[in-house]
Amino acid sequence: MEVAPELVQERGKASFPPSTLTQLVDGGVAKMARRRWLRSLILSDPIFNNEDSIYLNHTERYKRALAKCGRLDQLINKYRLNEEDSIVLRSCTSEDLPTLLHDLMFLPCLLSLCSEEQQAYWVPAARSKKVLGCYAQTELGHGSNIQALQTTATFDPATDEFIMDTPTAQAYKWWPGTLGRTANTAMVIARLLLPQESSSSSPASYKDMGIHNFIVPLRDLHTHALLPGVVTRDIGPKIAFAGMDNGCLELHAVRIPRANLAQRFVRVTRQGVWSRVEGTHSKAAYVTMMQVRAIIVVHSARELSKACTIAIRYSAVRRQGFDDSKTGSELQILDYASQQYRLLPLLAASVGFFFCGRAVLTLLAETEDALLKGRKGQAEVGALMGRAHAALAGLKSLCTTIAADGIEECRKCCGGHGYLACSGLPELSGNFLQQCTVEGDNVLLTQQTVGYLLKSYIKWRTGGPVLDEECQYFVTAADGAHAEGLGEGEKGVRDEPAVLSLFSRRAFATLERLALRLQSLTEGEASLSQAGAWRRVLVDVMFVSRSHALYTVLRHFAAGLKSLRDGNDVSGVGKAGADAAFIRVLERLFFLFAFYHLSKEAGDFLELGLLSPETVARVRGEVEILLGEVRPDAVALCDGWDWDDFELKSALGRWDGRYAEALLASAKKEPLNHQDPVDGWDRTWQPQWKVEEQTERARL
């Protein structure tokens, strides 16, 4: 189909080739070509067709997704794809498949939490899908509060087994993906209970050793029938995520061998004696959770860019209203400043989150290397774990909040058509919404970040060193008198160091304000306990975490730009002079992201004395200027993410811009339109006039 003239025009005025962004996102020309080849395997295979997915119910979507899982494995085996290629291939299906949690959490748990002896059996079995697993942590009664989980694993010395139990309905595992109907094995998070010495006159007692990880078989590997004592079920339809069997798990005196305790970091002897493996860290079990949070940050960039691509392409071809020239041609809605203000900062956020996601994956790799390979001492490992945990908690909270709200804003920017399932936006929004809760509720996660920041702040204020890169800004931000103010240098307000300084000073000032408030609440006659004071300031905690995370995104965004300018980026972008125009576009996105959030949160900067009202007004004016500068490259930036129509699943965001034809084609697929009149019409609806007419005919 011929491309809409509006999109031809938009692509013609771009200042850079979109493939430059594609190369950056993919990590180089070779990886870009490899991903496109892998995607072609999906696009050419009819089993992955998703054109009528919006008309299927949960059961139908799940069964179709199972078939896709089987075909994926066939392709992986046929082309002998390595793990990296397999991950890319799965992502190209543009579907959250029932085996997602096997790849995302179960297999990583085996690799990070199990001993070499355990891995020798479980990892090959998991990679071949003989063992198909899930990660069962969340319960009906508790999720984020891991220490309060109620599932138990009681050691029985007589049989050398653990007895797994979910003693109450509150203890039933609830929500784990892949658990409902797909998994035959689970990594279950449970309280380890070890028997204590007892006399003949007193019953046996048990010591609670806290939360541990256990490999629990759920189904027969050959028949897929549930094993004795195990009950699983799908928990039913959700807002979206229709192809995933989120499940419920009951365990009733299920016995597993002692060897099924994940043993990389802890051991239980035949006599029931617990010990920590020498040289390992007490927080090692959290590494899988951090892995998932890092992936979620990356996912935020990708999914937000999909929504921006749909809404911006549609806004370029949709026309509404006339200009003053009275030429008779309607305006593109992307030419309205209000539409640009709603969409272009989100496009900037997607690029910022990309740089941030790349940085946290590097931090996580460094942490895993230190933790799992024993190349650093306990103190160094602890410091790395603390830094990674705090960074990922805050960034996961911020990025998913902005992305979830942004996807919904993109939907609303498409007007009434955005409400249609075939726009792709309702499903995209519904699928992503779960990211705001999974792996830690976004509000609760702010406490983890701020708790770490407060400890670091107190140590530093009492003469200790700044612990790590996450808190390095304490030193410069505290000495604000020597910081160059925004707009005071030769570069005006578009001064990266000044912007970073401003956001770091805001983050530091909000943290210091919180520390002083906590101190005042715990002193004096009417003082509160530490826990009571903490509950009182939780609203402030949310703002401190957001301030710190926003600064962190900007810091990684700026670092990414510097890498491009210096020609040091791994993607190869920035090494040629031709990329200078592309870097200028990214610089505009950096300032647009920063100034957009600064203007929205100006009250903080004004209250803390970091900006004058005049500077705030100047920044708001700069946002308007930046919108106009980014506008000509908006479609090219969307094209640079290289989403195929298959991946977008949107009648509105098509490459060719022919949304009207696509909407009509989608409507024709609606099952209600396949029979006219609809079967059962006469049997189900009998209006009074028709009853009277039939009565009269019968009388005659």
Side-chain angles (χ1 to χ4, degrees), residues 101 104-106 109 134-138 143-146 174-177 189 285-297 389 392-397 400 433-446 448:
L101 274 295
L104 184 64
M105 297 199 72
F106 181 74
C109 274
C134 65
Y135 181 81
Q137 173 180 302
T138 300
S144 299
N145 187 8
I146 299 174
W174 188 273
W175 273 117
I189 316 305
Y286 291 108
V287 68
T288 303
M289 176 184 65
M290 292 196 298
Q291 289 170 334
V292 177
R293 287 179 183 170
I295 292 170
I296 288 173
V297 173
H389 183 66
L392 288 167
L395 288 171
K396 186 269 183 185
S397 176
T400 56
L433 277 175
Q434 53 102 21
Q435 304 286 13
C436 295
T437 308
V438 70
E439 292 308 304
D441 173 83
N442 278 359
V443 174
L444 294 179
L445 284 180
T446 62
Q448 298 179 17

Side-chain angles (χ1 to χ4, degrees), residues 341 345 485-487 493-495 498-506 546 550-551 554 590-607 610-623 626:
Y341 183 77
L486 188 66
V493 292
R494 294 196 194 184
D495 185 336
V499 168
L500 291 175
S501 173
L502 177 64
F503 275 84
S504 71
R505 287 158 62 198
R506 194 271 289 258
R546 182 180 176 87
L550 269 174
Y551 164 65
L554 286 167
F590 170 85
F591 289 116
L592 179 57
F593 178 80
F595 294 160
Y596 173 81
H597 287 283
L598 192 159
S599 62
K600 288 191 71 175
E601 301 172 27
D604 240 10
F605 294 93
L606 291 169
E607 181 184 348
L610 299 174
L611 286 179
S612 67
E614 293 76 18
T615 305
V616 171
R618 186 176 175 186
V619 166
R620 285 185 172 140
E622 199 68 22
V623 170
L626 283 163

